[in-house]
């Protein structure tokens, strides 16, 4: 047993369920059930953080497509409920990401918590031998953009996050405001 999540669309006038599908079924039907094994959390391997629906059709997605942020497997699913197809699996320079938003018609913005995978290890003692210690660097949260045109990632304001040591372990959100 584990905690699964569902994508459900309701008719806003009648309350009738128009579409309903589990995330596990989406992965399984698109030959990605092995992604359930990527998580250290066996009772919650997915952890759905955000669903961003497309409200219009562009060159890169259709109205009613959904972008699903799955924290524990560190990816964004671009899923099309009308055809039951996974259009793209977005993996990149982010881990334990949270919020996913449209920056414009060709770019997604992803709030990257950029934090360690939660592993519950009991009875572990702290390391005392520092002779082989390597510093991997300082990790802070950040905002990552994904450009559909060239399938490339960029960081937005990364130096601001680092300079000010902006970090959240979970629930990181962003909002882009007009000047």
């Amino acid at each position: 047993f584990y905690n699964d999540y569902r994508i459900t669309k309701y008719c806003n006038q009648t309350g009738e369920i128009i579409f309903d599908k589990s995330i596990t079924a989406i992965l399984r039907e698109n030959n990605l059930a092995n992604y359930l094994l990527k998580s250290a959390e066996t009772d919650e391997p997915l952890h759905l953080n955000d669903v961003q629906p497309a409200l219009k059709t562009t060159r890169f997605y259709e109205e009613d497509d959904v972008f699903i942020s799955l924290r524990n497997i560190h990816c964004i699913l671009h899923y099309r409920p009308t055809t039951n197809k996974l259009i793209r699996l977005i993996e990149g320079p982010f881990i334990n990401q949270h919020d996913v938003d449209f920056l414009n018609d060709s770019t997604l913005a992803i709030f990257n918590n950029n934090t360690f995978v939660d592993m519950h290890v009991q009875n572990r003692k702290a390391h005392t031998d520092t002779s082989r210690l390597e510093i991997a660097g300082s990790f802070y949260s950040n905002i990552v953009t994904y450009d559909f045109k060239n399938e490339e990632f960029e960081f937005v304001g990364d130096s601001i996050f680092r300079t000010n040591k902006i970090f959240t372990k979970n629930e990181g959100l962003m909002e882009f405001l007009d000047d």
Side-chain angles (χ1 to χ4, degrees), residues 73-85:
I73 60 173
H74 323 292
C75 67
I76 309 289
L77 305 180
H78 174 185
Y79 177 67
R80 184 164 294 148
T82 56
T83 61
N84 191 36
K85 293 293 178 202

Side-chain angles (χ1 to χ4, degrees), residues 7 9 16 32 62-63 100 118 126 128 133 150 153 171:
I7 301 299
K9 182 177 181 179
E16 175 188 355
L32 293 170
E62 295 180 7
E63 183 177 352
V100 60
D118 291 332
T128 56
L133 180 65
N150 55 27
F153 297 94
E171 298 185 12

Side-chain angles (χ1 to χ4, degrees), residues 36-92:
L36 294 167
L37 304 176
K38 285 181 72 172
S39 175
E41 296 288 334
T42 57
D43 59 341
E44 188 179 19
L46 298 170
H47 192 91
L48 175 65
N49 266 343
D50 191 23
V51 177
Q52 183 67 49
L55 302 178
K56 63 181 176 180
T57 297
T58 73
R59 191 171 129 210
F60 304 102
Y61 49 86
E62 295 180 7
E63 183 177 352
D64 289 334
D65 283 3
V66 289
F67 292 84
I68 305 165
S69 177
L70 299 171
R71 180 190 75 187
N72 289 352
I73 60 173
H74 323 292
C75 67
I76 309 289
L77 305 180
H78 174 185
Y79 177 67
R80 184 164 294 148
T82 56
T83 61
N84 191 36
K85 293 293 178 202
L86 184 64
I87 305 305
R88 80 179 39 86
L89 173 74
I90 303 169
E91 295 179 286

Side-chain angles (χ1 to χ4, degrees), residues 3 9 12 14 17 20 26 32 48 59 78 89 101 104 107 135-137 141 147 153 158 166:
N3 188 20
K9 182 177 181 179
N12 64 354
T14 66
I17 294 176
D20 180 71
I26 292 169
L32 293 170
L48 175 65
R59 191 171 129 210
H78 174 185
L89 173 74
D101 292 326
N104 57 47
T107 309
I135 303 299
S141 299
D147 186 331
F153 297 94
D158 198 46
I166 299 170

